[in-house]
Amino acid sequence: MARIAYVDGRFLPISARAVAIEDRGLQFAHGVYEVIKAVGGRLLDLDRHLDRLDRSLAAIACPPPMARPALVLLLEELLRRNRLADATVYLQVSRGVAPRNHAWPEGLRPSFVATVRPARFPSPSEQREGVRVVTFPDERWARCDIKSIALLPNVLAKQKAVAAGCREAWLVDRDGLVTEGASSNAWIVDREGVLVTRPLGPAILGGVTRDVLLELARGAGIPVAERPFTVAEAVAAREAFLTSTTSLVLPVTRIDGAPVANGRPGTITRKLAALYAARCGLASATEE
Ligand code: PMP
């Protein structure tokens, strides 16, 4: 079945060439996006995602494309039309269509696109065995907390990681501290057994999965510290993992080729992965 997309008021085949040439998203990357997962037809952590969308929109001086209840109905309708229950939902809002000019006219209506596709979560073997990451300098801008569609440094780093046989690129700031992955948040369990991830701020995207996982960890009595860490500390850590809406909680077992601890996913990682999977209604491959 051909996939159906929603584009500014119309449901169209995904192959449709339906975006205006002078869309500010296309010409200036003046837009933001969200990725939400649906499990069994349920949009998970919907309010957290839509709250983040509102924050991103405010940061790029863009009004919401429609009221939240209408947006939710629309996403549900898109899932139905695509006959998908387990899906990755992508939505993108750009500042709208206007003759190309850096400044934009008053009252410009935002453009809105949404797509869905079958969910592709990490394979059981990736979840069981863990994945490799490779580090690169973080060359992004100073507002990584905005979920901007301007992802060039992220996609270039990810492509280099994939070419190096790795699942993810971990980005490192000028002080040698890991910010986050190209499309995920980065975590370690340090030598004292404390779960560590970089604090919120303009250097990282505040992941919805990150938020949820911090709550799950605190609820499970796992000590948590939101502080930056270096690549060397990560390599010497007891455990490492990454999180995102689509990668879930994924053990990291090698960083720049060096094994993390004994090169096997750690116990806290597996526990958190199981807690997160259970919360999402997904089977966990990491439980023993
Ligand atoms: N950081 C970056 C740069 C990302 O692109 C993503 C995924 N969109 C994340 C972190 C994780 O965010 P979430 O858990 O909300 O998917």
Side-chain angles (χ1 to χ4, degrees):
M1 195 184 84
R3 283 163 56 205
I4 307 292
Y6 177 85
V7 186
D8 285 323
R10 293 187 296 165
F11 290 98
L12 298 170
I14 190 112
S15 55
R17 299 190 174 197
V19 175
I21 291 169
E22 291 197 305
D23 190 283
R24 293 181 64 83
L26 182 62
Q27 299 204 335
F28 294 111
H30 189 170
V32 297
Y33 72 106
E34 269 301 322
V35 178
I36 306 172
K37 67 176 165 290
V39 175
R42 201 161 53 96
L43 292 157
L44 297 187
D45 295 312
L46 185 58
D47 280 327
R48 294 185 203 239
H49 282 285
L50 296 182
D51 288 349
R52 183 172 64 185
L53 178 65
D54 286 345
R55 288 196 300 277
S56 294
L57 284 168
I60 67 158
C62 185
M66 62 186 80
R68 189 175 292 200
L71 181 58
V72 174
L73 286 177
L74 170 63
L75 298 180
E76 288 169 351
E77 175 63 14
L78 194 58
L79 285 171
R80 258 193 306 277
R81 286 189 186 226
N82 285 277
R83 299 204 185 100
L84 284 174
D86 295 340
T88 301
V89 177
Y90 177 83
L91 49 110
Q92 177 175 311
V93 185
S94 83
R95 193 62 194 82
V97 183
R100 190 183 184 284
N101 193 2
H102 285 55
W104 64 94
E106 283 285 305
L108 192 61
R109 201 163 40 84
S111 307
F112 180 63
V113 171
T115 61
V116 295
R117 66 171 180 215
R120 241 190 15 230
F121 299 123
S123 68
S125 84
E126 278 179 314
Q127 294 183 53
R128 258 195 325 268
E129 306 298 323
V131 298
R132 297 159 181 246
V133 303
V134 59
T135 64
F136 293 106
D138 192 339
E139 295 172 341
R140 299 173 302 161
W141 69 329
R143 288 300 309 275
C144 297
D145 53 320
I146 303 171
K147 202 162 169 58
S148 158
I149 60 172
L151 287 171
L152 188 54
N154 306 59
V155 299
L156 293 176
K158 179 77 92 178
Q159 188 70 11
K160 282 197 250 174
V162 169
C166 293
R167 165 81 182 211
E168 179 59 302
W170 274 11
L171 307 176
V172 181
D173 71 15
R174 287 178 185 184
D175 300 320
L177 299 162
V178 175
T179 50
E180 60 181 335
S183 62
S184 58
N185 288 111
W187 305 69
I188 58 169
V189 176
D190 74 10
R191 298 290 272 262
E192 279 70 51
V194 178
L195 179 63
V196 178
T197 196
R198 185 152 180 141
L200 293 180
I204 65 165
L205 182 76
V208 168
T209 322
R210 176 190 178 281
D211 261 12
V212 169
L213 211 70
L214 283 172
E215 288 175 15
L216 290 175
R218 290 185 173 120
I222 297 167
V224 173
E226 292 179 70
R227 66 162 175 86
F229 56 85
T230 63
V231 176
E233 186 182 8
V235 170
R238 285 191 195 170
E239 309 182 20
F241 64 92
L242 59 84
T243 57
S244 79
T245 297
T246 50
S247 293
L248 314 174
V249 177
L250 199 50
V252 168
T253 48
R254 277 181 190 265
I255 301 171
D256 291 336
V260 177
N262 63 359
R264 306 283 311 155
T267 46
I268 291 179
T269 304
R270 282 185 285 141
K271 179 171 184 172
L272 288 172
L275 285 173
Y276 183 73
R279 186 181 174 282
C280 297
L282 293 164
S284 167
T286 56
E287 277 169 298
E288 286 183 327

